[in-house]
Amino acid sequence: MVDIAKIRNDFPILKRQINNKPLVYFDNAATSQKPKVVIDAIVDYYENYNANIHRGVHTLSQEATDKYEAARQKIQHHFNAANPEEIIFTSGTTEAINLVATSFTTLLQSGDELIISALEHHSNIVPWQMLCERTGAVLKVIPMKHDGSLDLAEYDRFLNNKTKLVMVNHVSNALGTINPIKRIIDTAHAHGAAVLIDGAQASMHIKTNVQALDVDFYTVSAHKMCGPTGVGMLYGKAEWLRKLPPYKGGGEMIAEVRFEKTTYADIPHKFEAGTPNIVGGIAFGTAIDYLNQIGMSKIANYESELLDYATKALEKLDGIEIYGKTVEKTAVVSFNFQGLHPYDVGTIIDKLGIAVRTGHHCAQPIMDFYKIPGTIRASFAFYNTKTEIDLMITALKRAKEMLS
Ligand SMILES: *Cc1c(COP(=O)(O)O)cnc(C)c1O
């Protein structure tokens, strides 16, 4: 059991009022809220040891470097990577995917094949389209089924000796579907293809073990797991990271710079040019400590209770259509009411203090599949309650009355 009163007390923002109503924050799939310990870690850096890292011999620089590298190790242990140098700090999932897609340019030939899925976020679609434009590689898309799962039989038919890379999300941000990534990774490897898993939406809900998965690349954004914005991680197997060329040039990523020839630093620094988001990296480590203190399996169990409760309550509402009905789901419910635009419903319930997301959720191909402009998406976190779900249901009933 989670001690929900104690947990809610950790998040200052949950005390806010919106239009004189208590805030009900159900937009966790877009970004999570931050516990006080994470906010304090940010203030502590700027108040007490702000300095650039890896450069100075002075005390502050050494303190900042130690804390930043300690955060890298926390991330390494959380995801069970074999070595800290397999953890590259990025600005988030989007940059992590762009890094891999850019660095792969020189390793691909015209006619090579890449596979993504119909469930991807735009940030796991567009960088691969750009890579295909640069190289002449061909992008194939695993189709989705009506329940929000992937058509794996079609995936198996796509795989052949031209397949170089497979990129799939761990969890769909638009529908909550948990994809069978171990199965996807194993079949790709049987054909000699490498696999990148976009873990942005899984990270606050599922404990991931990159070695057990045998995944080649795994990406997360700190802000979706109680950390700050502007920082994230690319996990890559050391052998892959050593093989890929650097993605950005600048300070910190070099061994020696001469006008005739520059040599690069070893990983992870080879991929970390310039002054990084130092405070972000440190606070990312604090967020991981916080989640582990509560316990990832407790979080998952409690959230799945919330999902069940919300799904049952929503199903009772007239004219509702829920999208994404796989058994394996995180706590995301995407829905619409017959004849009502999702944006209008979202605007009215915001007046009642309920924060949900409306629109295509950066996953337009999913909306095209269902032939809808968008959905209303309620996404829950471990600091939400059944009482808040009741408030959302009441607000939705009000919105329906006003709009019909
Ligand atoms: C949020 C999200 C992204 C993009 O993350 P950024 O933090 O915006 O870089 C990519 N994929 C999925 C599944 C997401 O939920």
Side-chain angles (χ1 to χ4, degrees):
M1 269 300 291
V2 298
D3 183 347
I4 188 69
K6 180 173 175 296
I7 285 173
R8 287 184 66 83
N9 209 31
D10 293 338
F11 290 81
I13 207 170
L14 297 180
K15 297 188 177 70
R16 253 206 78 169
Q17 305 265 310
I18 303 287
N19 300 315
N20 296 319
K21 305 278 189 315
L23 165 67
V24 172
Y25 186 76
F26 285 165
D27 195 15
N28 293 286
T31 197
S32 64
Q33 294 302 347
K34 319 305 169 198
K36 183 85 168 35
V37 283
V38 168
I39 300 165
D40 288 347
I42 294 168
V43 174
D44 183 40
Y45 167 78
Y46 285 122
E47 283 189 351
N48 295 308
Y49 62 98
N50 173 53
N52 212 329
I53 54 168
H54 300 143
R55 294 169 197 219
V57 292
H58 62 82
T59 306
L60 288 189
S61 175
Q62 282 175 12
E63 278 179 23
T65 304
D66 289 350
K67 290 242 167 87
Y68 191 69
E69 291 305 323
R72 193 191 305 275
Q73 288 182 16
K74 287 177 189 179
I75 299 165
Q76 175 211 343
H77 293 135
H78 182 77
F79 291 97
N80 197 36
N83 299 297
E85 64 260 29
E86 294 180 314
I87 306 298
I88 311 292
F89 279 114
T90 65
S91 68
T93 289
T94 302
E95 194 195 15
I97 295 172
N98 276 279
L99 187 165
V100 177
T102 306
S103 292
F104 253 95
T105 307
T106 53
L107 302 185
L108 293 184
Q109 292 178 350
S110 181
D112 282 345
E113 296 180 0
L114 313 182
I115 300 177
I116 58 169
S117 95
L119 288 178
E120 299 316 306
H121 187 283
H122 295 165
S123 68
N124 201 27
I125 300 174
V126 185
W128 307 113
Q129 291 175 321
M130 292 162 67
L131 175 60
C132 287
E133 276 178 24
R134 286 193 298 274
T135 60
V138 178
L139 194 60
K140 300 200 165 176
V141 184
I142 310 166
M144 61 181 283
K145 300 191 207 170
H146 204 266
D147 66 354
S149 65
L150 290 177
D151 183 346
L152 294 178
E154 195 61 21
Y155 168 56
D156 290 344
R157 278 191 284 277
F158 283 166
L159 286 163
N160 62 56
N161 62 6
K162 283 190 247 155
T163 313
K164 291 295 179 298
L165 278 168
V166 175
M167 289 71 65
V168 175
N169 61 31
H170 194 165
V171 171
S172 155
N173 63 301
L175 304 177
T177 309
I178 302 174
N179 287 311
I181 55 169
K182 180 66 183 150
R183 190 270 192 217
I184 290 171
I185 292 164
D186 289 347
T187 19
H189 285 170
H191 288 83
V195 181
L196 177 144
I197 299 293
D198 165 3
Q201 201 54 235
S203 59
M204 198 165 70
H205 317 287
I206 298 172
K207 178 114 181 168
T208 294
N209 180 334
V210 291
Q211 289 187 82
L213 283 173
D214 195 27
V215 67
D216 302 285
F217 302 99
Y218 194 91
T219 68
V220 300
S221 294
H223 73 93
K224 288 191 180 165
M225 49 189 306
C226 291
T229 53
V231 65
M233 160 200 93
L234 169 67
Y235 160 79
K237 282 183 186 166
E239 66 208 72
W240 269 118
L241 294 177
R242 293 217 162 88
K243 201 182 309 178
L244 292 176
Y247 147 77
K248 297 188 289 194
E252 273 299 297
M253 54 76 74
I254 50 88
E256 269 193 342
V257 175
R258 298 280 181 281
F259 288 117
E260 305 74 50
K261 180 164 178 61
T262 287
T263 51
Y264 305 128
D266 196 7
I267 58 170
H269 305 295
K270 181 173 95 176
F271 292 105
E272 296 181 346
T275 300
N277 183 349
I278 300 166
V279 68
I282 293 168
F284 184 7
T286 309
I288 282 182
D289 285 343
Y290 178 77
L291 292 175
N292 284 321
Q293 248 162 32
I294 299 172
M296 293 298 286
S297 61
K298 275 191 194 168
I299 288 175
N301 290 340
Y302 177 69
E303 288 176 348
S304 94
E305 250 179 68
L306 292 179
L307 176 67
D308 271 3
Y309 185 83
T311 306
K312 290 202 175 96
L314 285 165
E315 276 169 347
K316 291 198 189 106
L317 301 179
D318 282 343
I320 193 161
E321 172 89 50
I322 295 178
Y323 306 96
K325 294 188 169 170
T326 50
V327 180
E328 297 290 327
K329 262 184 81 167
T330 59
V332 172
V333 211
S334 238
F335 57 94
N336 271 327
F337 292 105
Q338 228 161 35
L340 302 186
H341 199 284
Y343 178 83
D344 296 336
V345 178
T347 307
I348 292 181
I349 69 172
D350 173 61
K351 298 271 184 294
L352 302 168
I354 320 282
V356 293
R357 182 77 172 261
T358 62
H360 57 58
H361 319 299
C362 296
Q364 267 181 350
I366 299 180
M367 305 303 134
D368 293 346
F369 174 85
Y370 291 117
K371 300 189 171 59
I372 52 177
T375 71
I376 304 159
R377 180 187 69 186
S379 52
F380 311 115
F382 56 90
Y383 41 76
N384 291 131
T385 64
K386 290 180 186 171
T387 311
E388 290 181 306
I389 293 171
D390 294 339
L391 288 172
M392 175 181 73
I393 298 289
T394 308
L396 286 170
K397 286 179 181 161
R398 276 277 293 283
K400 279 193 67 193
E401 274 167 26
M402 289 170 69
L403 293 167
S404 338

